[in-house]
Each structure stands twice: as C-alpha cells, then as structure tokens.
Amino acid sequence: MTYTAEKAIVLAAGFGSRMVPVTLDIPKPLVSVNGTRIIDTLLDALTEAGIEDITIVRGYKKESFDVLLEKYPNLKFIDNPLFDSTNSISSAHAALDILHGGCYICEADLLIRNPEVIRKYHSSSDYLGSFTRETDDWSLEEVDGRAVNYRKGNTNCFNCYGISFWTPEDCDKLRRDIEEVWDEDGGRDVFYEMVPLVLRKDNYDIKIHECQKGDVVEIDSFQELISIDPSYKHYKRC
C-alpha cells in the first residue's frame, strides 16, 4: 500500500540553549546560515514535495515566526505555552487535534541539504536516518526490516534525524499513545519519539527511511554554527 504525505507538523518551540548567544535574540530555526534561515530549508523541501498543509508549533519568542508568512503565506501556527517546562512531547501533544491522515512530524532546526529526503509517497511509517559505523547520537537499528533499539550511541546503526512520516493508522495510535504517556508520571519529560519508538513500540511497525550523511545537518552548538558560517565568529547581540 502507498500512503500520501498530506501534511506536516513542525516542532519549533524550544529555546536552543546550545546555540547561545545567537538564540538569545531569535529562535534557533530562524537563524540564518550562509544567508538562508534554517527552517526555510525544511519548508522549501516540504513545499517542493507537494506538502503545503504545514503547521508550526512554536513557543520561545513565538511572534518571531510571523515573519515566515511573508514567504509562506499558508503556514499555520500552534502555540505551546509549556515549551520551557516540558520536553518535546508537549509540542506533539499541542498538535494532537491535527495529527491525522498521512503526516510528517519534523524538528525545525535541521539544515536540509538534500530536499529529496522529504517524499510525498511512503510505503509505511518511517524515520529518517543515515547509516554509520559508530555514533554517540540518537540511533536506530534495522532488524527484519523494522526500525528498533532507539538509543543514544551505537555501532552499525542509523543516525537519527528528527524527520518522520506516520500513516493514517499510526497517527491514530500516536494520538492515543501520546495522550496516555502525557498523563503518566514523568510523561511530560520525554521526547515525543520515545512514545512510538520505546514506550509503546509494540504498537508500531516503523521502517528506516535511509538518506546519506550530509543530506541533513544538525547544528548542535554555536561553535558548529561558526564552522559552517564563519560570519558568526564576531557575532554581537543586537
């Protein structure tokens, strides 16, 4: 069966503490890298794939995201007032009412170098990753065609990027499972991915959507930003 990506939910509520000082002035997804805002690379890739129903879940300096409407007038916003006291599950929880159909859930602070990592059509729910011999970052393994063993640090595995597609059936499960975990002790302290990949993993059959290293770049610190865009070497706050 082939599933169509009908919409995308973009998680953009966080502060981006590791990118200080630049994020003291602007949310991390709106930081420009070599002249292009980080989030634009994702929004352009979604648009090029024919996915125009895009909702951004925002929190920190939320009004700053309004500038995106100049280029992307069809964008919608959901505000997450709990962004500074919970983990990313709160952003997914804030968007539960629109989590249906074939839906992407994407982190907003990824620099998309190859827009083809976003696809209109999918054969199952999937999570984007590139094969690596060793990583100290979040990873998945592929066993019998399934994405399993979500953990930080591993060998002969797939580096995880925060881009996933969910079939209509799995969107229904996600709404239920996220709500359940949200109400559990400690449930508001987890990444939303922990729900389908760890805490309720038996409810899902998720595949790896394999990409190449370099297709997606995660800028994890201000020093990494400088290494990619040296203009920040002498960055001064406005």
Side-chain angles (χ1 to χ4, degrees):
M1 183 177 293
T2 299
Y3 300 93
T4 302
E6 300 175 353
K7 62 174 60 179
I9 298 169
V10 180
L11 309 182
F15 168 47
S17 59
R18 289 178 293 180
M19 287 273 281
V20 169
V22 68
T23 49
L24 295 174
D25 300 313
I26 192 170
K28 182 180 176 183
L30 296 177
V31 171
S32 290
V33 179
N34 297 312
T36 301
R37 291 177 301 219
I38 292 173
I39 197 171
D40 285 33
T41 65
L42 173 63
L43 298 178
D44 288 346
L46 289 167
T47 302
E48 288 177 25
I51 304 166
E52 298 182 353
D53 185 350
I54 304 171
T55 300
I56 295 177
V57 183
R58 59 186 184 174
Y60 173 66
K61 292 186 178 292
K62 61 183 183 181
E63 295 84 2
S64 301
F65 288 93
D66 290 345
V67 70
L68 294 173
L69 293 171
E70 298 173 9
K71 182 178 178 183
Y72 310 99
N74 295 325
L75 278 181
K76 292 171 282 188
F77 298 112
I78 291 175
D79 294 339
N80 173 11
L82 303 176
F83 75 92
D84 58 351
S85 60
T86 58
N87 218 317
S88 68
I89 190 174
S90 65
S91 289
H93 186 266
L96 286 187
D97 287 346
I98 63 168
L99 181 56
H100 54 76
C103 186
Y104 265 105
I105 302 179
C106 308
E107 294 179 9
D109 58 354
L110 302 169
L111 194 65
I112 309 298
R113 289 259 173 90
N114 177 9
E116 292 184 2
V117 299
I118 302 293
R119 303 183 301 187
K120 182 75 170 177
Y121 303 106
H122 300 252
S123 60
S124 67
S125 294
D126 55 51
Y127 204 100
L128 187 68
S130 62
F131 184 79
T132 183
R133 294 295 180 188
E134 185 173 6
T135 183
D136 58 3
D137 210 338
W138 289 98
S139 65
L140 282 163
E141 297 174 26
E142 187 174 49
V143 177
D144 296 329
R146 298 182 68 236
V148 299
N149 197 18
Y150 185 64
R151 55 181 283 193
K152 197 163 189 179
N154 206 343
T155 57
N156 296 317
C157 58
F158 290 86
N159 261 331
C160 288
Y161 303 108
I163 296 176
S164 56
F165 170 79
W166 303 92
T167 67
E169 294 82 2
D170 282 348
C171 282
D172 292 343
K173 296 175 188 176
L174 273 175
R175 290 198 310 276
R176 177 198 65 205
D177 292 343
I178 288 173
E179 192 69 73
E180 286 182 0
V181 172
W182 180 256
D183 290 330
E184 295 175 355
D185 288 342
R188 303 186 182 193
D189 297 325
V190 303
F191 299 112
Y192 98 86
E193 293 99 329
M194 295 293 289
V195 177
L197 296 177
V198 178
L199 300 174
R200 299 292 190 275
K201 62 183 180 181
D202 292 340
N203 295 339
Y204 302 86
D205 182 9
I206 303 166
K207 310 298 184 186
I208 298 286
H209 172 192
E210 185 173 359
C211 67
Q212 299 302 309
K213 183 178 180 180
D215 284 348
V216 179
V217 177
E218 297 181 85
I219 305 175
D220 289 328
S221 69
F222 185 62
Q223 289 303 313
E224 287 186 18
L225 175 61
I226 291 173
S227 70
I228 295 173
D229 185 345
S231 70
Y232 284 96
K233 186 175 182 180
H234 304 291
Y235 180 83
K236 290 181 171 55
R237 293 191 64 197
C238 299

